[in-house]
Amino acid sequence: MQGDLIKMRQAAATILAQQKQIETKYKQAQTTADDWLRRAELAVQKGEDDLAKEALKRRKAYQEQADQLKTQVDQLSVASGDVLNNTRALEAKLQEARSKKETLKARAASAKTSQQIQEMMSGLNTSNAVVAFDKMEQKVLAMEAQAESTKMLVGSDTVDNRFKALETGTVDDELAALKRGMLPASTSAAGSLPEGRPVQDALDLELEALRRKARAE
């Protein structure tokens, strides 16, 4: 299209140049024909009929030449107009083609980018990613279960300790049991009952031993 446009512009320039040249010749011929007409009129006024006839002959020759040139000028004017119109139409088409070319380039670049993205996405191994996330979830669940078990064990130890404290009792509990005669016999020599001693004396001795033990602690 660019080459055709150059050729059409050259053709239009050639036609316009020819039109201008012929137009100049036409004006010269028409001016000469008009001059011979004035001379013929002058000769008639002066009574020179022969001279007037000669002037009219020359005027006729130049007028015929001018008329022919005028026809060529009109033809070239139509031709140059057509060429100029076609040139403008081709220029518009060329501009449209350039604009479409830029649009297609942009679309091609966008399509290429989209294709590259799709190829990149298709190359990703999503199954491996899913497996990795599943492993992470399993590890987190195991950690949570371990923490919950530890919490339950700590709570169980606390409960056991409380029950042991209740079962063991205090010094006051032992004193009350001692007074009731329900305290188990001690294996120590100091706690043994001497033969022939009353029970009350034995209790006093046991109580005294517990007091000494308490003071020593």
Side-chain angles (χ1 to χ4, degrees), residues 6 9 14 25 28 31 33 62-63 65 69 72 89 114 131 134 147 149 156 159 171 175 182-183 186 199 209:
I6 293 174
R9 285 175 175 173
T14 300
K25 292 180 179 181
Q28 291 176 351
T31 299
Y62 280 104
Q63 187 61 52
Q65 183 181 0
L69 292 172
Q72 294 181 22
S114 299
V131 171
D134 288 341
S149 300
S156 177
V159 173
V171 175
L175 177 60
M182 297 176 60
L183 187 68
S186 175
V199 176

Side-chain angles (χ1 to χ4, degrees), residues 25-36 38 62 66:
K25 292 180 179 181
Y26 158 73
K27 290 179 180 179
Q28 291 176 351
Q30 187 63 51
T31 299
T32 303
D34 293 340
D35 289 342
W36 283 110
R38 284 193 298 271
Y62 280 104

Side-chain angles (χ1 to χ4, degrees), residues 1 12 16 19 30 32 34 66 72 75 84 97-98 101 119-120 165-166 188 215:
M1 291 179 69
L16 289 173
Q19 180 183 353
Q30 187 63 51
T32 303
D34 293 340
Q72 294 181 22
Q75 292 175 349
L84 289 175
R98 287 172 177 169
K101 174 186 175 183
E119 291 175 354
M120 182 181 65
L166 292 176
S188 63
R215 285 196 295 268

Side-chain angles (χ1 to χ4, degrees), residues 100-116:
K100 185 176 292 186
K101 174 186 175 183
E102 295 300 323
T103 302
L104 290 175
K105 284 173 62 178
R107 289 173 60 186
S110 177
K112 183 177 181 181
T113 303
S114 299
Q115 182 180 1
Q116 290 175 346

